């Protein structure tokens, strides 16, 4: 009985601290303003790193976004690793002027290994000494045209590592894509902005982050190969005493999974990666937090704490203790009622969080008001699906698997760039700021009308994205 009580108390303390910290971040993020870093000279040379596997449909869009940045193009070099590709990803990137390295290795699979191979090639070529910092993107990303300029300002402010605002290009596709998109927007608005206010470190996502040449040289390139290599990089960076900053004005658009099967597979991999990171870094991180009195380490310790493992242990032990007569079944049913009440409260809380996120970040979200209401109601379903996903991750042998990204027509690409870019370069959708004043209202109205016509769903998405472009300009 004492063991079960101890586990209950431990889970209660960890859960309370996690929820309390989230509430503090939400309140802080509600009032926090986006940091506008001081203007800085455009004198840093950046290397963009892209790992791509069979991404010929979409990678050209990202390359075009990078090549049309307001930051001087001669100070941005694009390096792509075409990783185990069966299509013409490498050729597409070469035609667009990128440095391309092709990799074929079916034993060491994953983005971490691909980045290692890419940075090793950059160092062996002698080009590494030219770059002040490296920026990592996924092949399906799209960028605001001021992205690199804003990151440059934050880099000049003294950060050796940075993360940015992660938006989504397909927010309004369905409840699956919106659930993932809301989670990332929430992270940018409430967690990362609050961490900046507190003066603590952020954690990088899998895309849209920067690290300095100092960090690259210290690591000997890229040495992170767990399923969540981004989280592994975060842990290592913090335990080396570097703070990861946040640049909220640097916005990228990510493409989210649109089927539950894709989302399940992706999140099982993430959950398994969290367990891996806790296994290899958890003890050292907690010791570092105590020794250095570093709240960033405390923050991340709470984030990677394997509550699912504790929950499973609690359920199994409870059942065994009942079977052997050590405790009564009634006592365990009482504990179950508590968790049911907690579950109901979580559903209501998640709906409120989704609604608050949608209201505060409305001008950045590409969806109609009616869609947002529906997605706020479905958000708890998306989040609570993490419960079986987390349990599945304990027993799975999850490996990195690519997600198929969708491309749009050449006509849509041409329309998005107002005829300034050769639409025949590559298929897909590109987000770029419009120079036409007053078009946001018309685009939003077009999106609202088309969203309710099932035969015009793609037109609705294109119009919504155009509205976002004008709003964030």
């Amino acid at each position: 009985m004492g063991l079960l009580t101890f586990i209950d108390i431990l889970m209660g303390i960890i859960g309370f601290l996690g929820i309390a910290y989230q509430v503090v971040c939400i309140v802080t993020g509600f009032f926090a303003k986006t940091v506008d870093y001081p203007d800085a000279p455009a004198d840093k040379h950046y290397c963009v790193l892209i790992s791509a596997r069979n991404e010929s449909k979409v990678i050209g869009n990202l390359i075009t976004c990078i090549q049309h940045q307001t930051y001087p193009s001669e100070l941005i070099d694009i390096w792509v690793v075409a990783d185990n590709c069966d299509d013409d990803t490498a050729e597409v990137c070469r035609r667009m002027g990128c440095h391309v390295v092709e990799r074929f290795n079916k034993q060491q699979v994953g983005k971490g290994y691909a980045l290692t191979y890419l940075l090793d090639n950059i160092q062996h070529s002698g080009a590494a000494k030219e770059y002040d910092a490296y920026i990592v993107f996924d092949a399906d990303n799209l960028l605001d045209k001021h992205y690199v300029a804003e990151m440059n300002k934050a880099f000049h402010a003294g950060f050796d590592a940075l993360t940015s605002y992660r938006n989504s290009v397909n927010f309004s596709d369905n409840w699956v894509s919106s659930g993932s998109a809301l989670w990332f927007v929430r992270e940018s608005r409430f967690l990362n902005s609050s961490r900046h206010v507190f003066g603590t470190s952020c954690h990088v996502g899998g895309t849209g982050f920067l690290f300095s040449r100092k960090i690259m040289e210290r690591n000997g390139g890229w040495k992170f190969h767990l399923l969540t290599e981004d989280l592994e990089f975060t842990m290592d960076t913090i335990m080396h005493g570097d703070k990861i900053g946040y640049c909220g004005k640097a916005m990228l658009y990510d493409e989210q999974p649109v089927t539950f099967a894709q989302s399940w597979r992706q999140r099982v991999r993430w959950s398994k990666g969290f367990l891996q990171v806790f296994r290899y870094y958890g003890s050292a991180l907690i010791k570092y937090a105590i020794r250095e009195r570093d709240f960033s380490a405390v923050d991340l310790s709470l984030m990677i704490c394997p509550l699912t493992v504790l929950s499973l242990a609690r359920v199994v032990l409870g059942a065994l203790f009942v079977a052997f007569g050590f405790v009564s079944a009634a006592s365990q049913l009482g504990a179950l009622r508590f968790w049911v009440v907690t579950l109901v409260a979580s559903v209501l809380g998640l709906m409120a969080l989704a609604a608050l996120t949608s209201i505060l970040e409305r001008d950045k979200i590409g969806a109609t008001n009616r869609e947002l209401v529906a997605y706020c109601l479905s958000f708890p379903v998306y989040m609570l699906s993490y419960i079986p996903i987390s349990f599945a991750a304990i027993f799975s042998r999850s490996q990195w698997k690519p997600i198929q990204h969708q491309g749009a027509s050449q006509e849509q690409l041409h329309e998005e760039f107002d005829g300034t870019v050769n639409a025949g370069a590559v298929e897909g959708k590109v987000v770029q700021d419009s120079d036409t004043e007053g078009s946001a209202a018309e685009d939003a109205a077009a999106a609202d009308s088309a969203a309710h016509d099932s035969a015009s769903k793609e037109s609705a998405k294109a119009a919504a994205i155009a509205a976002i472009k004008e709003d964030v300009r």
Side-chain angles (χ1 to χ4, degrees):
M1 184 66 177
L3 178 59
L4 297 182
T5 301
F6 172 77
I7 296 176
D8 286 339
I9 293 173
L10 179 62
M11 291 175 60
I13 291 174
I14 294 173
F16 173 78
L17 291 175
I19 293 172
Y21 178 60
Q22 291 288 325
V23 170
V24 171
C25 287
I26 290 170
V27 174
T28 304
F30 183 88
F31 295 103
K33 295 182 179 180
T34 302
V35 177
D36 191 2
Y37 291 99
D39 290 337
D43 58 357
K44 301 296 184 183
H45 198 171
Y46 294 102
C47 176
V48 170
L49 307 176
I50 306 171
S51 173
R53 181 175 180 180
N54 295 335
E55 299 283 14
S56 61
K57 288 181 66 177
V58 296
I59 194 168
N61 303 333
L62 171 60
I63 295 169
T64 303
C65 286
I66 296 169
Q67 292 173 341
H68 286 76
Q69 290 288 296
T70 55
Y71 195 82
S73 59
E74 64 271 16
L75 293 177
I76 307 174
D77 289 350
I78 305 173
W79 285 76
V80 178
V81 53
D83 187 33
N84 290 311
C85 289
D86 300 318
D87 66 357
D88 61 341
T89 295
E91 184 57 33
V92 167
C93 297
R94 288 192 184 99
R95 286 202 308 264
M96 300 187 75
C98 302
H99 302 278
V100 180
V101 175
E102 295 187 68
R103 175 179 181 267
F104 298 95
N105 187 327
K106 298 298 178 66
Q107 283 71 49
Q108 296 179 324
V109 177
K111 182 178 175 181
Y113 291 111
L115 288 177
T116 296
Y117 188 81
L118 180 58
L119 273 170
D120 284 350
N121 275 270
I122 293 173
Q123 293 182 91
H124 293 158
S125 72
K129 63 180 180 294
E130 302 175 10
Y131 303 125
D132 297 290
Y134 299 81
I135 308 176
V136 179
F137 295 119
D138 287 342
D140 62 296
N141 292 165
L142 307 171
L143 308 178
D144 175 80
K145 71 179 181 181
H146 304 297
Y147 185 95
V148 177
E150 293 295 337
M151 292 290 270
N152 178 65
K153 288 161 63 175
F155 184 50
H156 267 280
F159 293 103
D160 278 306
L162 288 161
T163 189
S164 56
Y165 192 110
R166 189 170 180 176
N167 208 331
S168 298
V169 72
N170 62 331
F171 189 107
S172 63
D173 273 6
N174 57 32
W175 71 276
V176 177
S177 65
S178 69
S180 183
L182 271 171
W183 187 252
F184 288 128
V185 171
R186 172 212 62 90
E187 184 176 81
S188 296
R189 172 64 194 240
F190 295 119
L191 283 186
N192 286 335
S193 62
S194 298
R195 286 163 174 156
H196 182 87
V197 172
F198 302 152
T200 59
S201 182
C202 299
H203 73 87
V204 305
T207 184
F209 64 94
L210 173 151
F211 56 92
S212 67
R213 179 169 59 191
K214 181 191 83 172
I215 290 179
M216 189 278 291
E217 291 175 345
R218 180 179 71 207
N219 294 332
W222 185 268
K223 63 178 183 178
F224 311 105
H225 304 128
L226 298 181
L227 288 173
T228 46
E229 75 289 328
D230 51 342
L231 187 58
E232 186 184 5
F233 168 84
T234 298
M235 300 299 164
D236 184 83
T237 300
I238 288 174
M239 287 191 290
H240 274 92
D242 291 317
K243 185 166 70 175
I244 301 172
Y246 173 57
C247 185
K249 285 198 168 184
M251 184 175 296
L252 70 83
Y253 298 83
D254 195 20
E255 185 177 334
Q256 307 306 329
V258 294
T259 69
F260 188 72
Q262 287 180 335
S263 178
W264 177 282
R265 187 170 67 242
Q266 182 187 65
R267 289 185 287 156
V268 166
R269 176 173 63 83
W270 291 347
S271 298
K272 188 73 172 182
F274 268 63
L275 293 175
Q276 289 179 341
V277 169
F278 183 81
R279 175 186 175 186
Y280 292 108
Y281 290 86
S283 176
L285 186 67
I286 293 170
K287 291 177 182 177
Y288 180 84
I290 296 172
R291 184 178 70 251
E292 302 296 330
R293 299 179 183 178
D294 188 339
F295 186 75
S296 296
V298 175
D299 177 357
L300 293 171
S301 297
L302 288 172
M303 186 176 74
I304 66 172
C305 182
L307 276 175
T308 306
V309 176
L310 284 174
S311 300
L312 180 61
R314 173 64 177 83
V315 170
V316 171
L317 287 174
L320 289 174
F321 279 27
V322 170
F324 287 103
F326 298 148
V327 297
S328 67
S331 67
Q332 299 310 295
L333 290 175
L336 180 62
R337 283 193 293 271
F338 169 78
W339 290 112
V340 170
V341 172
T342 302
L343 182 65
V344 173
S346 298
V347 170
L348 297 176
L350 287 168
M351 285 183 183
L353 178 58
L356 183 62
T357 302
S358 300
I359 292 170
L360 294 181
E361 301 297 279
R362 181 67 186 92
D363 61 335
K364 300 181 180 69
I365 295 175
T368 66
N369 291 333
R370 182 178 298 182
E371 287 171 331
L372 280 178
V373 171
Y375 295 148
C376 287
L377 295 175
S378 65
F379 184 64
V381 178
Y382 174 85
M383 290 306 304
L384 291 177
S385 66
Y386 262 113
I387 296 175
I389 285 171
S390 298
F391 281 107
I394 296 175
F395 305 102
S396 74
R397 295 182 178 179
S398 182
Q399 295 181 342
W400 186 89
K401 294 181 180 179
I403 292 178
Q404 294 297 320
H405 297 119
Q406 302 301 313
S409 68
Q410 293 185 3
E411 289 75 15
Q412 285 176 317
L413 176 63
H414 186 77
E415 180 181 353
E416 290 294 332
F417 271 97
D418 299 321
T420 61
V421 174
N422 178 11
V426 65
E427 291 187 5
K429 186 175 291 152
V430 179
V431 172
Q432 186 187 46
D433 289 347
S434 170
D435 292 326
T436 305
E437 295 291 341
S439 65
E442 296 175 4
D443 289 331
D448 187 59
S449 174
H452 307 300
D453 182 356
S454 59
S456 303
K457 185 65 177 177
E458 288 303 316
S459 298
K461 189 202 298 187
I465 293 171
I468 298 173
K469 295 188 306 177
E470 181 66 21
D471 286 339
V472 300
R473 185 176 57 85

